[in-house]
Amino acid sequence: MKEHTLAPVAARESIHLLGGLIQTREKLLELLNDLDEKDIHHKVQDFPTIAGYSLHLAQIEWWWNHMVLREEGISEEDRDRFYFTEKQEITCPEHLEKGYLLARLGEARMKTREYYMDLSDQEFHRPSLTIKDLNEEETYSAEWVLYHLLNHESYHIGQMYMLRRWINGQREKWEHFNTPYLSL
């Protein structure tokens, strides 16, 4: 019998939920491992590429880490390294290789892990993280942020798997339809 759990039950709830995020990332890494450089940048209609989704996931996780969890802001160096743009778009420059995307995903995930590893359950549940918009202020708990990252990544991984199926379908060889027997 196969068992499915998030992670070994931890003493702290933040680490337990972090286990779910780790499993989600493993699915993403498994998907990217199966693709070559051409596949990750392969365009299917008007959808973002798999590379675009990968960079987007790294950007979003980096943003939550630096803008909300740590309230440090994002440096110009980080903006350049993660290809942040003013308008949030899910896109990726074609010259970026899979290794570069994996490095950004890993870098963002390490920041997330570092933050949550030091968090008590009380800090995890307390809505003390603030985002100030032009007109209003919203407060979040670290628990909500972690759940949001997990949900966001899962959602886009589903889209990436769908794109992989379409890419594979576009590249299938249909030579058997061109045989002389079908033209009789």
Side-chain angles (χ1 to χ4, degrees):
M1 174 172 48
K2 196 173 188 179
E3 289 184 10
H4 298 275
T5 61
L6 288 181
V9 175
R12 294 192 329 266
E13 292 179 42
S14 61
I15 297 187
H16 186 68
L17 191 54
L18 187 59
L21 192 61
I22 291 167
Q23 284 188 342
T24 304
R25 180 55 54 88
E26 287 172 358
K27 284 289 187 196
L28 174 59
L29 297 177
E30 183 181 297
L31 170 69
L32 292 174
N33 186 52
D34 291 343
L35 299 172
D36 61 26
E37 299 291 335
K38 200 183 316 179
D39 287 341
I40 66 169
H41 289 288
H42 186 83
K43 192 78 174 136
V44 176
Q45 297 177 15
D46 291 334
F47 290 97
T49 63
I50 290 174
Y53 281 120
S54 299
L55 183 59
H56 172 72
L57 290 171
Q59 289 169 334
I60 295 301
E61 191 166 352
W62 194 260
W63 185 89
W64 278 99
N65 268 286
H66 286 272
M67 296 300 291
V68 181
L69 298 177
R70 290 176 172 80
E71 297 181 15
E72 298 171 348
I74 297 176
S75 69
E76 281 304 312
E77 180 186 322
D78 290 343
R79 286 186 185 284
D80 293 341
R81 198 169 70 256
F82 281 84
Y83 289 85
F84 279 102
T85 59
E86 289 303 313
K87 183 179 177 188
Q88 186 180 345
E89 296 176 322
I90 300 178
T91 185
C92 180
E94 287 205 25
H95 71 277
L96 293 183
E97 296 178 353
K98 182 168 53 170
Y100 186 90
L101 298 171
L102 291 171
R104 298 299 73 79
L105 286 162
E107 196 176 346
R109 183 51 46 89
M110 287 309 297
K111 286 283 187 179
T112 303
R113 289 179 68 154
E114 287 170 6
Y115 181 83
Y116 284 98
M117 293 300 264
D118 293 334
L119 213 55
S120 71
D121 281 346
Q122 186 177 11
E123 294 167 317
F124 183 60
H125 295 294
R126 184 184 314 126
S128 60
L129 306 167
T130 304
I131 297 177
K132 294 176 183 164
D133 201 355
L134 295 174
N135 300 326
E136 62 183 281
E137 186 174 290
E138 294 184 19
T139 306
Y140 298 89
S141 67
E143 177 184 31
W144 186 94
V145 172
L146 188 55
Y147 178 78
H148 173 71
L149 289 172
L150 176 61
N151 184 53
H152 182 252
E153 190 159 311
S154 298
Y155 180 76
H156 286 314
I157 288 172
Q159 293 171 313
M160 294 162 81
Y161 270 98
M162 179 185 68
L163 283 172
R164 186 183 71 176
R165 288 189 81 151
W166 284 347
I167 291 167
N168 288 339
Q170 288 178 350
R171 293 197 176 159
E172 284 185 18
K173 292 186 172 44
W174 295 96
E175 296 296 323
H176 60 278
F177 286 122
N178 297 325
T179 64
Y181 301 109
L182 292 176
S183 59
L184 294 176

